[in-house]
């Protein structure tokens, strides 16, 4: 799984050599540049330099990584001469592992803080405001009942017997 992600990334890094530019003709065979220097061989992007036997070979596009029979990974160079495939794969996997570990640690820390912390300040503020509103509303209800009772008493409309005003005394 990691190689599926890592190998295309490695190839992209090596393609940075393309940006520098290539001067070789697109149709030239890579074997012509054997027993020269790595820089001359790698001017053509389709070439792979094998450091162990000083050969310039056509890059095996179908296999992504060059097979051992063609050139071993520590000796293989493509794109730039100062980086071999094996070192690049190891470095990229270490960087990727470190990044994944850092993301995992951050996620764990964030989840733990939320679990321990409980409700945050805004939630507590909303709860307090709701409680204050309920208390004020209850106070208003009591005031309204008292006021209505006063008006009923003033006009002789007591709650005990609602039909008392219709009785003939």
């Amino acid at each position: 799984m990691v190689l599926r992600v890592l190998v295309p990334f490695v190839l992209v890094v090596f393609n940075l050599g393309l940006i520098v530019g290539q001067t070789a003709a697109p149709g030239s065979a890579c074997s012509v540049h054997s027993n020269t220097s790595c820089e001359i061989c790698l001017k053509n992007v389709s070439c792979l330099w094998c450091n162990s036997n000083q050969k310039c070979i056509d890059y095996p596009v179908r296999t992504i990584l060059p097979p051992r029979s063609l050139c071993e990974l520590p000796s293989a160079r493509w794109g730039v001469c100062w980086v071999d495939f094996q070192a690049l794969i190891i470095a990229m996997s270490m960087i990727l592992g470190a990044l994944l570990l850092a993301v995992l640690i951050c996620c764990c820390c964030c989840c733990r803080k939320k679990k321990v912390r409980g409700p945050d300040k805004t939630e507590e503020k909303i709860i307090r405001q709701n409680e204050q509103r309920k208390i004020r509303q209850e106070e208003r209800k009591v005031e309204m009942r008292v006021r209505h009772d006063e008006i009923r008493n003033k006009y002789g409309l007591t709650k005990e017997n609602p039909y008392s005003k219709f009785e003939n005394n």
Side-chain angles (χ1 to χ4, degrees):
M1 175 79 180
V2 174
L3 281 179
R4 282 187 174 175
V5 174
L6 187 62
V7 171
F9 185 75
V10 169
L11 292 177
V12 168
V13 170
F14 280 128
N15 275 331
L16 291 176
L18 289 175
I19 297 172
V20 175
Q22 43 179 308
T23 56
S28 66
C30 294
S31 58
V32 174
H33 301 294
S34 290
N35 295 324
T36 59
S37 71
C38 177
E39 289 81 14
I40 293 172
C41 173
L42 294 183
K43 284 183 180 178
N44 187 349
V45 189
S46 62
C47 295
L48 171 76
W49 178 257
C50 190
N51 232 10
S52 58
N53 55 11
Q54 303 291 314
K55 285 189 177 181
C56 191
I57 321 163
D58 286 324
Y59 187 85
V61 204
R62 291 190 176 135
T63 58
I64 297 178
L65 294 175
R68 285 183 178 243
S69 59
L70 194 59
C71 187
E72 299 216 0
L73 286 180
S75 301
R77 309 283 193 270
W78 183 67
V80 288
C81 295
W82 53 273
V83 178
D84 62 81
F85 272 83
Q86 187 174 11
L88 189 64
I89 289 172
I90 291 170
M92 290 300 157
S93 62
M94 294 291 288
I95 291 171
L96 183 65
L99 286 174
L100 288 175
L101 186 64
V103 168
L104 183 68
I105 289 172
C106 287
C107 289
C108 288
C109 289
C110 290
C111 291
R112 182 175 292 164
K113 282 182 181 177
K114 282 201 174 224
K115 197 181 283 186
V116 171
R117 192 172 27 173
D120 61 348
K121 293 178 182 180
T122 56
E123 289 177 7
E124 290 175 2
K125 183 178 178 182
I126 291 172
I127 291 170
R128 263 190 275 116
Q129 287 176 348
N130 285 340
E131 289 174 0
Q132 289 174 353
R133 279 190 203 114
K134 285 180 184 178
I135 291 171
R136 277 187 262 132
Q137 185 179 11
E138 289 297 322
E139 289 173 353
R140 277 191 234 121
K141 280 184 182 179
V142 170
E143 288 175 6
M144 289 297 287
R145 280 188 200 133
V146 168
R147 194 176 313 140
H148 288 167
D149 287 343
E150 288 174 358
I151 293 173
R152 282 189 193 106
N153 286 338
K154 180 179 178 181
Y155 292 105
L157 304 171
T158 58
K159 281 187 171 180
E160 293 120 19
N161 190 355
Y163 297 105
S164 66
K165 68 177 180 176
F166 298 113
E167 290 178 7
N168 295 329
N169 295 12

